[in-house]
Amino acid sequence: MVVTGPVGAGKSTFIRSISEIEAVDTDRKATDESSLLKKNTTVAFDFGRLQFNPDMALHLYGTPGQERFNFIWDMLIRKAHAYILLVAAHRPGEFRYARKVISYMNQRAQIPMIIGLTHMDCPDAWSQENIIAALGYYDISSQPPVVIVNPNEMSSVANAVIKLVQHYVQYNASKAMAV
């Protein structure tokens, strides 16, 4: 599973909140415009794991948010089974960039995805409907599942992971029926 989205949307925190192992991260001091949002930023990828039983584990890979690291996005999405795009609801200036991330990922892999809206509790957060429209989903029938997630809360992250796994199962069942 890949966790992607703009800088500061909560990708690293999402993985740290749910991983059963100490999350591996490649955070370094931010030296570009992302330093306006946070001190450190991911420069390669984050990694976490959820072990369900001895034979089944879910690997979680978090992408860097900056487009200059899109070669890493490429490596991660090509092997992924599903992904979640995290979008910070209180930063509408990044919605266009989030659309670019969706386009990039979808050009490289036709896999199920959901949208996770973070920072919905901020006073300047946009409504879910407006964010989804800003991401280019005008027709509800073509819109991926949407979940509100607080990356700091394990239960909220677990709910998002469950939603993504359910969507993955439904997506693959509908593909199998179409054949």
Side-chain angles (χ1 to χ4, degrees):
M1 170 180 157
V2 169
V3 182
T4 193
V7 170
K11 300 175 298 293
S12 297
T13 305
F14 183 102
I15 291 173
R16 278 193 298 270
S17 291
I18 196 76
S19 180
E20 293 177 346
I21 63 170
E22 184 175 340
V24 176
D25 69 50
T26 57
D27 284 1
R28 297 295 177 263
K29 184 177 182 195
T31 58
D32 60 5
E33 65 279 351
S34 62
S35 65
L36 300 173
L37 296 172
K38 56 189 201 166
K39 291 187 312 188
N40 295 320
T41 191
T42 302
V43 296
F45 63 86
D46 297 317
F47 174 75
R49 185 184 73 219
L50 280 172
Q51 190 78 38
F52 296 109
N53 64 45
D55 299 321
M56 184 173 32
L58 176 65
H59 292 182
L60 306 155
Y61 296 92
T63 67
Q66 300 96 327
E67 191 171 15
R68 65 187 164 139
F69 295 116
N70 67 6
F71 64 95
I72 294 170
W73 302 355
D74 194 55
M75 290 186 301
L76 296 176
I77 201 66
R78 288 186 188 269
K79 300 274 182 167
H81 295 284
Y83 75 98
I84 181 170
L85 172 81
L86 296 183
V87 178
H90 68 308
R91 291 201 305 264
E94 296 175 4
F95 297 165
R96 179 175 286 143
Y97 181 70
R99 280 178 81 158
K100 287 175 69 173
V101 174
I102 293 169
S103 177
Y104 187 94
M105 297 300 185
N106 289 344
Q107 287 174 13
R108 279 145 185 84
Q110 295 301 308
I111 58 175
M113 65 89 71
I114 68 171
I115 297 170
L117 302 178
T118 65
H119 300 88
M120 288 294 287
D121 56 341
C122 292
D124 51 349
W126 280 31
S127 71
Q128 178 175 324
E129 296 78 22
N130 287 340
I131 296 168
I132 298 308
L135 294 177
Y137 296 103
Y138 307 109
D139 180 6
I140 196 160
S141 65
S142 66
Q143 144 185 338
V146 178
V147 62
I148 296 171
V149 60
N150 180 340
N152 293 300
E153 294 179 6
M154 183 182 179
S155 62
S156 181
V157 172
N159 181 53
V161 170
I162 290 167
K163 182 89 160 183
L164 183 58
V165 170
Q166 288 172 336
H167 183 54
Y168 170 79
V169 169
Q170 291 170 346
Y171 178 90
N172 285 319
S174 67
K175 276 180 61 175
M177 292 177 69
V179 174

